[in-house]
Amino acid sequence: MNTTTKKLALRNGNQMTAEGAIKAGCKFFAGYPITPASGIYKGLIDLLPLNNGIAISSPDEISALAYCVGASMRGVKAMTATSGPGWALMIETVQYAMITETPVVICVVQRLGPCTGGATQGAQGDILITEFASSGGYTIPVLYPTNSKECYELTVEAFNWAEKYRTPVVLLSDKEVGMTTESLDYNKLNATPNANRHVITDHDADYANWKMYGFDSPDMITKFAPVGGKVKVTATGSAHNANGYLKKNDPETLATLKHLEDKIQAHRDEMVLVKEDHEEDADTLVISFGITARTMKDSVIKARTKGRKVSSLTIFSIFPIPEKAILKAAKGCKNIVIAEENINGQYRMLLEPLLKNFNVTGINKLGSMITPDEILERIVQL
Amino acid sequence: MNTPELCTYMTHGAVMPFCKGCGHSNILKKLNDALVKLNLNPHDVCLVTDIGCIGLADALFDKVHTVHTTHGRSTGFATGIAVADKVLASDKLKTIVLIGDGGSMIGLLHIVNAALMNVDVTVIVANNFLFGMTGGQTSSLTPEHFNTVTSPFGSMNPSLDICQIADASKAGFIARKTATDKDLTDVISEAIDFSGFSIVEVLELCTEHGTKRNDLKGNMLLKMAEEEGHKIGVIKNSPVRPEFSKKYETDVNSHKGEIKPLKYINPKFVHNLKKPNGIIISGSAGERVQSTAAMLAEAALMCGLEVTQKNDNPVTQGSGFSLSEVIISPGEINYTGVASADYVIVVSENGLREIKNQDIFNRINDKTIFIVDDSLTIEKKGLNVISLPLRKYCGGDKAAVGAVDYVIRKFEPFQHNAIKLLLEKRFGEYEKIFKEEYYKL
């Protein structure tokens, strides 16, 4: 047995999200307890002081995210973690991060909804409420790991996107991904290098033309000014002009708002993370994410042993929707099966217009994980 | 030039956007004067403004950092800014919140928590007894009988004494002033200079809504507050509690060496598995079901196996059932549920009930082995049941431990020495963990 190249441990997704945050350079965490996300809170309470950071407890989820956004405005990488009920409370504040272009990462570990729902039951029912959380429908980038290793790697990616595009980013997971412990080889962790926001200083060549929310082109990400630095910050959650002042009926203000969406759209091709398991001449493509993507893998293995030609696509970057990658994986197939643990096929609803030339069906479930046989059965029926 | 003598933090010649006679103009001028008095570097000042007329202040202060936030949440954002500055950055920033009476109530917990934390934030509550910007509606700081557009016959409720709330939240500096007080500059500068949380409530007139509906003049504000039972002046100035970052240094940072680093597991044993094994352990909360499953998982990992452990329990953590599903496998594990169990361990009534609730009998095959405490009866026929006096020989708190140890001993999915090592680490000498009779099973 070759043991020299392994660094093994039993870790769950929440623990690895916390470790991923440390790797990403997170220095500030504020938490409010909620099952099944509390493991991230505990993880960072232990880890941040050891890594020159700070983790604090907050009196509610609104405070937790407001503390994080404030800390990020001061110039440090910040994160919080919650589940559906807490996310509901954070929705105003996440929009504040969006409109002020403040990088921040929010981990949403899904549980059974609606409302208080089932604290200790898994679900994938927050796909729509996570993405469509802003008045105006601006895109919130969302990453969704399937195991503890990916929790680490995608947390790093979430920070990198937040920093690069100056936006809130959601790391979506679920009770099963967050709380299931599994064997992990630390030597196999493969995170992308850390990205850091570009900070404006008063001796930069572009300082003379710099504006708080200025941009020359849709893809431009304005340089960040930290509160407390030498460049004056004028931040606001109100519709504002490029200088950060509240304005009404003003073309520059509308352009500044539109840029919030344009900058994400301009970079969406860089925000594609999927894993395709391609089968030559496949007639069926199964698409999934999170915990159900693991089920899907087993179903596809079984289907192939039964002689079925089937491909699969695991989507990690669920928003912005990786449309090109989905169409590429679907090419040549007749049937698309989208498996997700919610009652209404939330992601399927969004993909159907894109996949109108295919026979699209969903596998959906409430209250427990979709099993390999449930997906297999559909593949075999088609 | 911003020479200290001439330094003004407000825009030169700024035109106040407020109604004639509105107290906000005076409050902001006094705030400016307080900053001048303290001679702070403008880059070391952050004004965090709330929603409402007072929130228009950020456009008037062109030298200092301004952060205009969502309604009521200004103190929350300010707390994040202040903590990050003190603990992680320059430790120079003075963070000042400007909030109205309406915002101070919707964001009350942010104020309470900032005071409890004793973060270096100054909250100035501009209290004109109503929501002005939205048309003069009643707020929680509207005095009883005060007439507003939504209390046309007088407000029904007494007003909240936010200074008393701050006192109950252990704030060190608390003052209630009026917008025309001659010493307002001094009091605001004292509050900003205070190391830790400070709050200054400033009573003032809303000339658009307040004075038109009430017989009210500036010189009546003090009397009005007194009638509500609210104290006036500097109510508290006690720098006894250390500011948050100092407390953090002594209470948390100095202990960080006590946190044990993660130990990696060395796979020094071997296994006999050709295919994955699924093990379901069901029992009662507080009887080591999940920790035993964790031990099983660790032992399997020590034998070079891949492992997943999925736990389930009710929303309470120490009562009702506790159930773990462990998969040990020579190859990658995808689906983390046990679809077809190799072993089902049931050690208590709660556990048996949950096996039925979760329909585990539909997740077995004809080779599945049930290890069941002999106090329990499984009515279903045709199962491979091994009934053992686990609770009797191992105790209720270690029945699950005994059952898992039994499975490894008898069926050897992997080397028994692996679990034995972990058991000894946890409970001491292996031969003495359970009653003597157990080892003869």
Side-chain angles (χ1 to χ4, degrees):
Chain A
M1 196 186 327
N2 182 4
T3 58
T4 52
T5 57
K6 287 185 177 177
K7 266 166 82 179
L8 296 172
L10 288 164
R11 306 300 279 161
N12 68 31
N14 285 342
Q15 290 168 324
M16 294 315 291
T17 295
E19 292 190 29
I22 297 296
K23 161 68 179 67
C26 174
K27 295 291 176 212
F28 185 96
F29 180 91
Y32 185 83
I34 187 166
T35 306
S38 300
I40 300 170
Y41 179 13
K42 170 59 183 162
L44 284 164
I45 282 280
D46 288 347
L47 289 174
L48 270 170
L50 297 173
N51 291 278
N52 303 314
I54 176 168
I56 58 173
S57 304
S58 58
D60 75 336
E61 287 91 342
I62 300 175
S63 307
L65 186 52
Y67 293 174
C68 289
V69 173
S72 182
M73 286 178 144
R74 182 62 192 87
V76 304
K77 294 184 185 179
M79 179 170 95
T80 185
T82 189
S83 187
W87 174 250
L89 296 181
M90 289 179 179
I91 283 178
E92 185 188 33
T93 312
V94 78
Q95 295 177 74
Y96 185 77
M98 179 188 280
I99 194 171
T100 58
E101 303 193 51
T102 307
V104 69
V105 175
I106 306 111
C107 309
V108 180
V109 187
Q110 295 166 100
R111 65 192 220 180
L112 188 69
C115 195
T116 307
T120 55
Q121 273 171 285
Q124 297 184 296
D126 299 352
I127 311 297
L128 296 181
I129 200 176
T130 303
E131 178 55 24
F132 299 104
S134 77
S135 294
Y138 295 80
T139 300
I140 300 173
V142 180
L143 290 159
Y144 196 165
T146 76
N147 58 30
S148 62
K149 175 178 182 282
E150 290 161 10
C151 281
Y152 179 91
E153 294 164 352
L154 294 185
T155 301
V156 175
E157 201 65 49
F159 272 98
N160 288 351
W161 287 8
E163 294 288 313
K164 276 197 273 188
Y165 310 122
R166 288 189 56 183
T167 176
V169 175
V170 170
L171 183 87
L172 192 64
S173 110
D174 52 65
K175 181 255 173 184
E176 304 299 348
V177 170
M179 292 184 70
T180 299
T181 302
E182 56 190 324
S183 38
L184 176 85
D185 182 355
Y186 274 78
N187 282 339
K188 285 191 180 159
L189 295 177
N190 186 18
T192 50
N194 291 351
N196 296 304
R197 63 192 84 173
H198 294 292
V199 174
I200 187 81
T201 66
D202 56 1
H203 47 264
D204 285 354
D206 51 354
Y207 175 63
N209 295 321
W210 178 86
K211 288 179 178 175
M212 186 74 195
Y213 301 110
F215 59 94
D216 302 327
S217 57
D219 64 333
M220 181 173 156
I221 311 297
T222 315
K223 280 190 179 176
F224 173 88
V227 168
K230 284 191 176 158
V231 175
K232 179 193 152 29
V233 168
T234 309
T236 176
S238 298
H240 49 256
N241 63 12
N243 283 319
Y245 289 108
L246 187 151
K247 291 279 177 204
K248 193 181 165 187
N249 299 332
D250 168 42
E252 183 181 308
T253 297
L254 294 178
T256 306
L257 284 181
K258 190 166 173 293
H259 181 245
L260 296 174
E261 180 64 13
D262 287 348
K263 67 175 181 182
I264 303 296
Q265 294 302 332
H267 291 279
R268 68 181 296 161
D269 287 348
E270 303 156 23
M271 305 169 86
V272 176
L273 289 167
V274 299
K275 191 172 177 190
E276 197 183 337
D277 179 5
H278 181 71
E279 171 89 0
E280 209 55 43
D281 303 324
D283 58 8
T284 300
L285 171 70
V286 189
I287 297 175
S288 195
F289 43 80
I291 190 66
T292 310
R294 299 176 66 139
T295 307
M296 171 180 77
K297 279 193 192 175
D298 276 352
S299 310
V300 167
I301 293 167
K302 284 187 178 182
R304 286 175 183 165
T305 61
K306 289 177 185 290
R308 294 302 310 246
K309 297 274 189 190
V310 53
S311 294
S312 74
L313 183 71
T314 303
I315 303 182
F316 304 109
S317 58
I318 63 170
F319 295 103
I321 295 174
E323 295 180 352
K324 288 178 195 165
I326 292 169
L327 288 174
K328 179 175 162 279
K331 201 175 173 195
C333 290
K334 196 172 80 183
N335 309 304
I336 313 270
V337 177
I338 302 168
E340 51 191 313
E341 194 186 325
N342 54 50
I343 51 171
N344 50 353
Q346 300 188 357
Y347 204 58
R348 186 180 80 239
M349 284 184 211
L350 302 175
L351 294 194
E352 268 169 350
L354 178 74
L355 300 172
K356 58 182 183 294
N357 296 327
F358 300 85
N359 171 34
V360 180
T361 60
I363 297 177
N364 301 96
K365 199 173 178 182
L366 188 70
S368 63
M369 294 195 292
I370 294 171
T371 65
D373 283 348
E374 285 166 334
I375 300 177
L376 178 67
E377 209 176 305
R378 178 68 53 83
I379 297 171
V380 173
Q381 276 169 7
L382 287 168
Chain B
M1 281 297 291
N2 278 330
T3 59
E5 299 77 28
L6 296 173
C7 181
T8 170
Y9 300 80
M10 201 180 265
T11 314
H12 283 284
V15 178
M16 293 286 170
F18 309 113
C19 305
K20 196 177 173 197
C22 169
H24 291 353
S25 305
N26 228 14
I27 295 173
L28 296 182
K29 280 178 200 155
K30 301 292 182 184
L31 170 61
N32 179 65
D33 293 348
L35 294 172
V36 171
K37 186 177 172 188
L38 292 168
N39 193 22
L40 295 170
N41 183 335
H43 297 133
D44 295 333
V45 177
C46 181
L47 281 190
V48 184
T49 63
D50 211 83
I51 297 294
C53 295
I54 195 68
L56 299 172
D58 54 344
L60 303 171
F61 286 81
D62 66 345
K63 306 286 192 299
V64 304
H65 298 289
T66 57
V67 175
H68 181 55
T69 71
T70 51
H71 193 35
R73 313 299 164 194
S74 45
T75 315
F77 291 102
T79 298
I81 291 170
V83 168
D85 181 73
K86 295 280 167 194
V87 180
L88 305 170
S90 74
D91 189 14
K92 282 183 184 166
L93 198 66
K94 280 292 177 185
T95 309
I96 302 154
V97 171
L98 285 167
I99 191 168
D101 46 297
S104 73
M105 186 59 170
I106 187 177
L108 189 63
L109 94 165
H110 307 297
I111 295 174
V112 166
N113 205 56
L116 291 171
M117 289 171 77
N118 204 25
V119 287
D120 196 23
V121 169
T122 299
V123 175
I124 299 174
V125 183
N127 181 6
N128 57 13
F129 317 113
L130 47 75
F131 289 91
M133 192 178 253
T134 46
Q137 296 87 352
T138 309
S139 83
S140 302
L141 273 65
T142 303
E144 196 170 355
H145 309 307
F146 195 82
N147 194 300
T148 74
V149 73
T150 53
S151 57
F153 314 111
S155 179
M156 290 169 64
N157 305 334
S159 61
L160 179 77
D161 186 339
I162 200 159
C163 291
Q164 225 174 345
I165 294 274
D167 193 27
S169 311
K170 313 289 189 284
F173 187 99
I174 305 167
R176 180 177 284 116
K177 301 296 292 176
T178 75
T180 51
D181 283 351
K182 292 216 160 49
D183 61 347
L184 185 59
T185 299
D186 297 336
V187 172
I188 291 176
S189 69
E190 250 186 291
I192 295 170
D193 202 32
F194 187 83
S195 176
F197 182 84
S198 56
I199 185 166
V200 182
E201 180 188 351
V202 188
L203 309 177
E204 51 158 342
L205 302 177
C206 172
T207 49
E208 180 63 21
H209 303 292
T211 54
K212 284 181 184 166
R213 290 181 161 267
N214 297 278
D215 179 23
L216 183 64
K217 291 190 175 65
N219 60 10
M220 294 156 73
L221 290 169
L222 291 179
K223 193 164 165 277
M224 205 165 93
E226 275 166 6
E227 278 170 8
E228 288 283 296
H230 298 180
K231 287 182 188 164
I232 301 294
V234 176
I235 298 165
K236 189 174 173 190
N237 184 358
S238 165
V240 176
R241 296 175 61 211
E243 182 273 327
F244 174 82
S245 63
K246 296 185 177 75
K247 190 101 164 76
Y248 182 78
E249 191 53 43
T250 55
D251 288 15
V252 179
N253 254 351
S254 65
H255 290 280
K256 62 189 179 186
E258 295 163 26
I259 295 170
K260 287 179 191 151
L262 178 73
K263 274 191 188 155
Y264 299 110
I265 293 166
N266 184 14
K268 53 189 168 189
F269 300 101
V270 294
H271 66 83
N272 301 311
L273 291 186
K274 298 279 181 284
K275 65 169 200 60
N277 269 195
I279 302 136
I280 295 173
I281 311 170
S282 192
S284 300
E287 292 192 345
R288 293 204 175 92
V289 172
Q290 297 183 10
S291 61
T292 302
M295 240 185 272
L296 166 65
E298 187 175 342
L301 187 59
M302 285 160 63
C303 299
L305 290 162
E306 298 289 328
V307 189
T308 62
Q309 182 196 344
K310 170 175 144 61
N311 296 328
D312 195 9
N313 50 267
V315 285
T316 50
Q317 297 201 335
S319 62
F321 75 92
S322 184
L323 187 145
S324 286
E325 298 179 39
V326 177
I327 302 173
I328 57 177
S329 168
E332 191 188 359
I333 302 166
N334 295 316
Y335 179 65
T336 56
V338 173
S340 181
D342 295 273
Y343 305 95
V344 178
I345 294 169
V346 191
V347 292
S348 77
E349 276 294 345
N350 278 325
L352 182 58
R353 205 173 305 128
E354 198 54 25
I355 289 285
K356 291 173 189 164
N357 281 347
Q358 298 202 11
D359 217 4
I360 303 288
F361 296 123
N362 271 333
R363 290 162 54 189
I364 58 172
N365 55 62
D366 53 10
K367 292 197 181 111
T368 304
I369 294 165
F370 281 77
I371 310 285
V372 182
D373 187 71
D374 67 356
S375 64
L376 307 169
T377 314
I378 296 186
E379 287 131 21
K380 197 175 165 71
K381 302 291 171 214
L383 302 175
N384 310 313
V385 176
I386 301 176
S387 182
L388 299 172
L390 292 162
R391 299 187 75 85
K392 202 168 147 196
Y393 292 170
C394 309
D397 64 331
K398 288 204 276 291
V401 183
V404 164
D405 179 67
Y406 179 87
V407 167
I408 312 299
R409 258 196 302 139
K410 294 288 170 183
F411 301 100
E412 294 187 317
F414 54 78
Q415 254 183 304
H416 182 253
N417 278 345
I419 192 104
K420 189 177 167 191
L421 188 83
L422 296 177
L423 289 172
E424 292 202 319
K425 204 153 73 175
R426 176 70 186 79
F427 301 111
E429 199 182 334
Y430 176 73
E431 286 74 16
K432 290 180 182 165
I433 298 171
F434 313 111
K435 283 188 182 162
E436 227 178 299
E437 296 91 325
Y438 167 84
Y439 301 94
K440 293 174 193 149
L441 292 175

